[in-house]
Amino acid sequence: MKHKKTILITGGAGFIGSHVVRLFVENYPNYHIYNLDSLTYAGNLENLEDVENKPNYSFLKVDITDERAINKLFDKYQFTSVIHLAAESHVDRSIEDPLAFVKTNVIGTMILLNAFKELWKDDYKNKLFYHISTDEVYGTLGETGLFTETTSYDPNSPYSASKASSDHFVRAYGETYGLPYVISNCSNNYGQNQFPEKLIPLFINNIIHNKPLPVYGDGNYTRDWLYVKDHAIAIDLIFHKGITGETYNIGGFNEWKNIDLINLLCEQMDIALNRPNGSSKKLITYVKDRPGHDLRYAIDASKIKEELGWQPSVTFQQGLKKTIEWYLNNEDWLQSVTSGTYQSYYDKQYN
Ligand code: NAD
Ligand code: TYD
């Protein structure tokens, strides 16, 4: 069968990437999906066991910062589009090792931009560089207001600064070389297959093992949470219907103060684990705050809603329930990712 599109998805073994890869492989049998990932601590091919034998799927173990390997690959596969998710993605790690974030998020993105510019050689018809970014590039909000697509960039962490930089380069390649691109900036994702270093899966794992729940500062920080499968659906829509050169904000219309979310999670975990009401809350431990901790993120997602007809398909209560069920039914997955590198990182971060 002739494949209509040859799509490169970078970072497809990670949390969000694996959901995007699955959605594209299953929904578009006439596209060929190349999942390119260097398999850092966050990349886990077990996430994609169910699609790995599909005829329209291939995995390429390559680092996006390896320019020679990338260029060789591009000659061979002649990709028609890319959905670029590969990144270092955890704020706390970026505080420990900012340069790793510059390497992958900035230089890696540059290497891909150059490779696509060369591959497509100014024949940009039916080509697309889709860059996946975060709302953290906008910096922090006070108690009110929302991030829109025109909010100025004002990143505060090495992670968000590296993502902001990569967004600027993508846009600059559009302006300077005419490279067709689209960018989306999404709020905090949660759901199955998220590495247990981010708030929700870390706390689920700690509750299972009766370990302390480290709440940074006073816990009064606000995030806007979106179920990962709804992010993948938004990415599909933007890939197919988004306007080239535009940015789309994606959010859950779902703001939670950390401590309120943690209390809800504790209550749901007590029910799911059949433990007495209040058991999980006893594990809450206030710890030293994250340096440069952004007070509040909240997305105005009206553009994608009005122009592309997208909105979240599940409520937070439904999404959180599905997430908890998944982690409890997949303790072997949790076990396999919480060994090795992760353990030493965990000790360094929390002990
Ligand atoms: P993740 O950390 O779970 O996965 C990142 C993936 O990229 C991993 O599979 C890793 O192996 C791969 N990778 C890292 N460095 C690489 C390199 N040099 N070469 C090739 N592959 C490499 O991240 P995630 O949470 O799935 O985030 C994916 C993207 O979405 C990122 O660009 C992130 O900035 C963005 N984003 C994430 C969130 C969120 O809440 N998680 C929200 C908005 C945007
Ligand atoms: P996180 O999941 O790391 O996402 P981000 O920093 O990208 O928003 O953190 C979400 C919120 O939870 C953030 O305000 C920091 C806080 N947090 C804790 O209080 N304790 C923790 O152990 C972690 C990982 C996060």
Side-chain angles (χ1 to χ4, degrees):
M1 193 206 321
K2 179 118 181 60
H3 292 298
K4 226 175 87 192
K5 283 183 195 288
T6 307
I7 305 176
L8 177 68
I9 298 184
T10 70
F15 167 48
I16 301 170
S18 60
H19 290 278
V20 175
V21 165
R22 178 176 303 101
L23 188 150
F24 273 74
V25 168
E26 285 178 351
N27 287 4
Y28 304 104
N30 58 333
Y31 296 174
H32 197 98
I33 306 302
Y34 290 91
N35 171 16
L36 183 151
D37 199 297
S38 63
L39 299 182
T40 66
Y41 78 94
N44 186 347
L45 282 180
E46 277 177 40
N47 295 351
L48 287 166
E49 264 173 352
D50 54 326
V51 298
E52 68 190 9
N53 293 321
K54 301 264 182 183
N56 63 333
Y57 172 78
S58 310
F59 175 68
L60 306 165
K61 185 174 183 311
V62 177
D63 191 317
I64 57 167
T65 65
D66 183 345
E67 193 167 10
R68 278 184 59 179
I70 289 287
N71 289 338
K72 237 169 101 183
L73 209 72
F74 275 51
D75 277 349
K76 186 165 172 197
Y77 294 108
Q78 303 285 313
F79 307 112
T80 55
S81 30
V82 57
I83 305 176
H84 174 37
L85 297 107
E88 289 291 342
S89 69
H90 188 40
V91 174
D92 294 325
R93 284 180 189 260
S94 81
I95 295 167
E96 288 295 312
D97 183 9
L99 200 54
F101 284 66
V102 175
K103 282 183 186 149
T104 286
N105 299 1
V106 185
I107 297 174
T109 301
M110 286 292 301
I111 287 171
L112 289 177
L113 284 167
N114 283 336
F116 278 106
K117 183 167 125 359
E118 179 58 27
L119 175 69
W120 295 337
K121 289 219 171 56
D122 301 330
D123 176 13
Y124 292 139
K125 201 162 165 272
N126 297 324
K127 310 291 197 310
L128 184 67
F129 191 108
Y130 181 0
H131 182 60
I132 304 298
S133 193
T134 167
D135 61 353
E136 303 192 25
V137 298
Y138 299 123
T140 188
L141 291 163
E143 295 293 340
T144 58
L146 298 171
F147 296 133
T148 72
E149 286 79 359
T150 56
T151 302
S152 301
Y153 277 31
D154 191 17
N156 290 316
S157 73
Y159 164 64
S160 54
S162 69
K163 291 297 290 187
S165 172
S166 64
D167 292 13
H168 288 318
F169 274 112
V170 172
R171 210 169 271 126
Y173 271 59
E175 290 297 320
T176 308
Y177 308 112
L179 193 89
Y181 74 91
V182 68
I183 299 176
S184 56
N185 296 80
C186 188
S187 62
N188 287 59
N189 284 216
Y190 70 97
Q192 62 208 57
N193 298 109
Q194 188 170 28
F195 193 82
E197 63 181 353
K198 307 275 168 68
L199 181 73
I200 291 179
L202 175 75
F203 278 33
I204 290 175
N205 190 41
N206 284 13
I207 291 171
I208 293 172
H209 296 103
N210 274 307
K211 285 162 84 174
L213 306 177
V215 179
Y216 296 162
D218 60 7
N220 283 320
Y221 294 89
T222 299
R223 298 293 182 262
D224 172 357
W225 294 92
L226 178 68
Y227 189 52
V228 64
K229 292 189 185 189
D230 280 328
H231 188 188
I233 292 168
I235 290 173
D236 180 5
L237 258 182
I238 292 170
F239 179 83
H240 288 101
K241 303 216 165 90
I243 295 170
T244 302
E246 292 279 316
T247 285
Y248 295 87
N249 278 357
I250 309 170
F253 303 96
N254 180 40
E255 282 183 55
W256 285 81
K257 276 206 158 99
N258 289 345
I259 195 62
D260 296 336
L261 186 161
I262 291 161
N263 280 324
L264 175 68
L265 180 67
C266 285
E267 284 158 22
Q268 290 211 7
M269 286 296 289
D270 285 347
I271 295 168
L273 289 168
N274 236 332
R275 291 183 185 167
N277 185 21
S279 321
S280 301
K281 282 186 194 169
K282 288 192 189 136
L283 299 170
I284 291 175
T285 311
Y286 288 90
V287 299
K288 196 163 148 280
D289 210 349
R290 170 188 281 173
H293 199 165
D294 285 330
L295 177 70
R296 177 170 165 260
Y297 304 144
I299 284 272
D300 176 353
S302 50
K303 177 173 171 180
I304 183 172
K305 187 172 176 202
E306 280 155 25
E307 293 185 10
L308 303 183
W310 174 90
Q311 59 184 11
S313 69
V314 296
T315 64
F316 189 52
Q317 270 74 3
Q318 289 167 333
L320 196 59
K321 192 160 177 282
K322 282 174 194 275
T323 304
I324 290 171
E325 276 167 9
W326 185 84
Y327 279 97
L328 293 181
N329 290 330
N330 289 276
E331 280 201 55
D332 48 344
W333 184 93
L334 259 179
Q335 181 59 34
S336 77
V337 298
T338 49
S339 53
T341 334
Y342 180 74
Q343 281 301 327
S344 56
Y345 167 75
Y346 186 90
D347 290 341
K348 202 160 140 227
Q349 187 67 19
Y350 295 112
N351 293 336

Short mmCIF file of all heavy atoms in Angstrom, two decimals, residues 90-92 136 188 197-199 202-203 214-216 221 223 258 290 293 297 350, ligand 2:
data_model
loop_
_atom_site.label_atom_id
_atom_site.label_comp_id
_atom_site.label_asym_id
_atom_site.label_seq_id
_atom_site.Cartn_x
_atom_site.Cartn_y
_atom_site.Cartn_z
N HIS A 90 11.54 17.67 32.63
CA HIS A 90 11.22 17.84 34.06
C HIS A 90 11.94 19.04 34.68
O HIS A 90 13.18 19.10 34.67
CB HIS A 90 11.57 16.55 34.81
CG HIS A 90 11.11 16.55 36.23
ND1 HIS A 90 9.90 17.06 36.62
CD2 HIS A 90 11.70 16.11 37.36
CE1 HIS A 90 9.77 16.91 37.93
NE2 HIS A 90 10.85 16.36 38.41
N VAL A 91 11.16 19.97 35.21
CA VAL A 91 11.70 21.23 35.74
C VAL A 91 12.79 20.98 36.80
O VAL A 91 13.85 21.60 36.77
CB VAL A 91 10.56 22.09 36.35
CG1 VAL A 91 11.12 23.32 37.05
CG2 VAL A 91 9.56 22.48 35.28
N ASP A 92 12.54 20.05 37.72
CA ASP A 92 13.53 19.82 38.79
C ASP A 92 14.86 19.34 38.22
O ASP A 92 15.93 19.72 38.71
CB ASP A 92 12.99 18.81 39.82
CG ASP A 92 11.80 19.37 40.57
OD1 ASP A 92 11.78 20.59 40.84
OD2 ASP A 92 10.87 18.60 40.89
N GLU A 136 4.63 26.72 29.96
CA GLU A 136 5.60 27.27 30.92
C GLU A 136 6.47 28.37 30.30
O GLU A 136 7.10 29.14 31.01
CB GLU A 136 6.45 26.14 31.51
CG GLU A 136 5.57 25.10 32.18
CD GLU A 136 6.30 24.09 33.05
OE1 GLU A 136 7.38 24.40 33.56
OE2 GLU A 136 5.75 22.99 33.21
N ASN A 188 -0.23 21.36 31.92
CA ASN A 188 0.26 20.11 32.54
C ASN A 188 -0.59 18.91 32.14
O ASN A 188 -1.81 18.94 32.31
CB ASN A 188 0.19 20.22 34.07
CG ASN A 188 1.26 21.12 34.63
OD1 ASN A 188 1.33 22.30 34.28
ND2 ASN A 188 2.10 20.59 35.49
N GLU A 197 8.09 10.90 38.24
CA GLU A 197 8.87 12.01 38.80
C GLU A 197 7.99 13.27 38.81
O GLU A 197 8.24 14.19 39.55
CB GLU A 197 10.13 12.27 37.97
CG GLU A 197 9.83 12.71 36.55
CD GLU A 197 11.05 12.95 35.69
OE1 GLU A 197 12.17 12.91 36.21
OE2 GLU A 197 10.87 13.16 34.46
N LYS A 198 6.95 13.27 37.96
CA LYS A 198 6.02 14.40 37.91
C LYS A 198 4.98 14.18 39.01
O LYS A 198 4.75 13.05 39.47
CB LYS A 198 5.33 14.47 36.55
CG LYS A 198 6.29 14.49 35.37
CD LYS A 198 6.83 15.86 35.02
CE LYS A 198 7.99 15.83 34.05
NZ LYS A 198 7.71 15.40 32.71
N LEU A 199 4.31 15.27 39.40
CA LEU A 199 3.50 15.26 40.62
C LEU A 199 2.54 14.05 40.74
O LEU A 199 2.61 13.30 41.72
CB LEU A 199 2.70 16.56 40.71
CG LEU A 199 1.83 16.67 41.95
CD1 LEU A 199 2.66 16.92 43.20
CD2 LEU A 199 0.81 17.79 41.81
N LEU A 202 4.14 10.41 40.68
CA LEU A 202 5.05 10.27 41.84
C LEU A 202 4.23 10.03 43.10
O LEU A 202 4.53 9.14 43.90
CB LEU A 202 5.89 11.54 42.00
CG LEU A 202 6.78 11.57 43.25
CD1 LEU A 202 7.99 10.65 43.07
CD2 LEU A 202 7.25 12.97 43.57
N PHE A 203 3.15 10.81 43.25
CA PHE A 203 2.36 10.70 44.47
C PHE A 203 1.57 9.38 44.48
O PHE A 203 1.42 8.76 45.53
CB PHE A 203 1.45 11.93 44.64
CG PHE A 203 2.19 13.12 45.25
CD1 PHE A 203 3.54 13.33 45.00
CD2 PHE A 203 1.53 14.02 46.08
CE1 PHE A 203 4.23 14.41 45.56
CE2 PHE A 203 2.21 15.10 46.66
CZ PHE A 203 3.55 15.30 46.40
N PRO A 214 6.02 14.57 49.07
CA PRO A 214 6.74 15.84 49.25
C PRO A 214 6.06 17.02 48.56
O PRO A 214 6.15 17.18 47.35
CB PRO A 214 8.11 15.55 48.61
CG PRO A 214 7.85 14.48 47.61
CD PRO A 214 6.66 13.70 48.05
N VAL A 215 5.37 17.84 49.34
CA VAL A 215 4.69 19.03 48.79
C VAL A 215 5.65 20.21 48.86
O VAL A 215 6.12 20.57 49.94
CB VAL A 215 3.41 19.34 49.61
CG1 VAL A 215 2.71 20.58 49.05
CG2 VAL A 215 2.48 18.14 49.61
N TYR A 216 5.94 20.80 47.71
CA TYR A 216 6.88 21.92 47.69
C TYR A 216 6.24 23.18 48.27
O TYR A 216 5.10 23.53 47.89
CB TYR A 216 7.32 22.24 46.25
CG TYR A 216 8.10 21.16 45.54
CD1 TYR A 216 8.21 21.18 44.15
CD2 TYR A 216 8.74 20.13 46.23
CE1 TYR A 216 8.94 20.21 43.46
CE2 TYR A 216 9.47 19.15 45.56
CZ TYR A 216 9.56 19.19 44.17
OH TYR A 216 10.27 18.24 43.50
N TYR A 221 0.40 26.41 44.86
CA TYR A 221 0.74 26.68 43.46
C TYR A 221 -0.36 26.08 42.60
O TYR A 221 -0.91 25.03 42.94
CB TYR A 221 2.11 26.06 43.13
CG TYR A 221 3.22 26.73 43.89
CD1 TYR A 221 3.60 26.27 45.15
CD2 TYR A 221 3.85 27.85 43.37
CE1 TYR A 221 4.61 26.91 45.87
CE2 TYR A 221 4.85 28.50 44.08
CZ TYR A 221 5.23 28.02 45.33
OH TYR A 221 6.22 28.66 46.04
N ARG A 223 -1.87 24.73 38.85
CA ARG A 223 -1.61 24.21 37.51
C ARG A 223 -2.95 23.90 36.84
O ARG A 223 -3.95 23.65 37.52
CB ARG A 223 -0.75 22.92 37.57
CG ARG A 223 0.65 23.12 38.19
CD ARG A 223 1.52 23.97 37.30
NE ARG A 223 2.89 24.16 37.78
CZ ARG A 223 3.31 25.23 38.46
NH1 ARG A 223 2.47 26.20 38.78
NH2 ARG A 223 4.57 25.35 38.81
N ASN A 258 -2.14 22.90 43.99
CA ASN A 258 -1.51 21.61 44.25
C ASN A 258 -2.11 20.90 45.45
O ASN A 258 -2.44 19.71 45.39
CB ASN A 258 0.00 21.78 44.49
CG ASN A 258 0.74 22.16 43.22
OD1 ASN A 258 0.21 22.04 42.12
ND2 ASN A 258 1.97 22.63 43.37
N ARG A 290 10.65 24.57 45.49
CA ARG A 290 11.46 24.56 44.26
C ARG A 290 11.94 25.98 43.99
O ARG A 290 11.13 26.92 44.05
CB ARG A 290 10.55 24.07 43.12
CG ARG A 290 11.11 24.20 41.74
CD ARG A 290 10.06 23.87 40.68
NE ARG A 290 9.86 22.44 40.50
CZ ARG A 290 8.90 21.93 39.73
NH1 ARG A 290 8.04 22.71 39.09
NH2 ARG A 290 8.78 20.63 39.60
N HIS A 293 9.94 28.78 41.62
CA HIS A 293 8.68 28.05 41.42
C HIS A 293 7.59 28.98 40.87
O HIS A 293 7.21 29.96 41.53
CB HIS A 293 8.25 27.49 42.78
CG HIS A 293 7.27 26.38 42.71
ND1 HIS A 293 7.01 25.57 43.78
CD2 HIS A 293 6.48 25.93 41.70
CE1 HIS A 293 6.09 24.68 43.45
NE2 HIS A 293 5.75 24.88 42.19
N TYR A 297 -0.15 28.58 36.48
CA TYR A 297 -0.33 28.46 35.03
C TYR A 297 -1.81 28.23 34.76
O TYR A 297 -2.44 27.42 35.44
CB TYR A 297 0.40 27.23 34.45
CG TYR A 297 1.88 27.10 34.72
CD1 TYR A 297 2.44 25.84 34.94
CD2 TYR A 297 2.73 28.19 34.71
CE1 TYR A 297 3.81 25.67 35.16
CE2 TYR A 297 4.10 28.03 34.92
CZ TYR A 297 4.63 26.77 35.15
OH TYR A 297 5.97 26.61 35.35
N TYR A 350 15.22 13.90 46.89
CA TYR A 350 14.36 13.93 48.08
C TYR A 350 15.03 13.55 49.38
O TYR A 350 14.45 13.73 50.44
CB TYR A 350 13.13 13.04 47.85
CG TYR A 350 12.25 13.56 46.75
CD1 TYR A 350 12.12 12.87 45.56
CD2 TYR A 350 11.58 14.77 46.89
CE1 TYR A 350 11.33 13.37 44.54
CE2 TYR A 350 10.79 15.27 45.88
CZ TYR A 350 10.66 14.58 44.71
OH TYR A 350 9.89 15.09 43.70
P1 TYD B 2 5.40 18.87 37.96
O1 TYD B 2 4.56 17.65 37.82
O2 TYD B 2 6.88 18.72 38.17
O3 TYD B 2 5.09 19.80 36.72
P2 TYD B 2 5.52 21.34 36.43
O4 TYD B 2 6.59 21.75 37.35
O5 TYD B 2 6.01 21.24 35.02
O6 TYD B 2 4.26 22.13 36.57
O7 TYD B 2 4.86 19.72 39.21
C1 TYD B 2 3.51 20.13 39.28
C2 TYD B 2 3.37 20.99 40.53
O8 TYD B 2 3.57 20.16 41.69
C3 TYD B 2 4.42 22.10 40.62
O9 TYD B 2 3.82 23.24 41.25
C4 TYD B 2 5.47 21.53 41.55
C5 TYD B 2 4.67 20.64 42.49
N1 TYD B 2 5.39 19.44 42.99
C6 TYD B 2 5.42 19.18 44.37
O10 TYD B 2 4.88 19.94 45.20
N2 TYD B 2 6.10 18.07 44.79
C7 TYD B 2 6.73 17.23 43.94
O11 TYD B 2 7.36 16.23 44.38
C8 TYD B 2 6.66 17.50 42.52
C9 TYD B 2 7.35 16.59 41.52
C10 TYD B 2 5.97 18.62 42.10
#
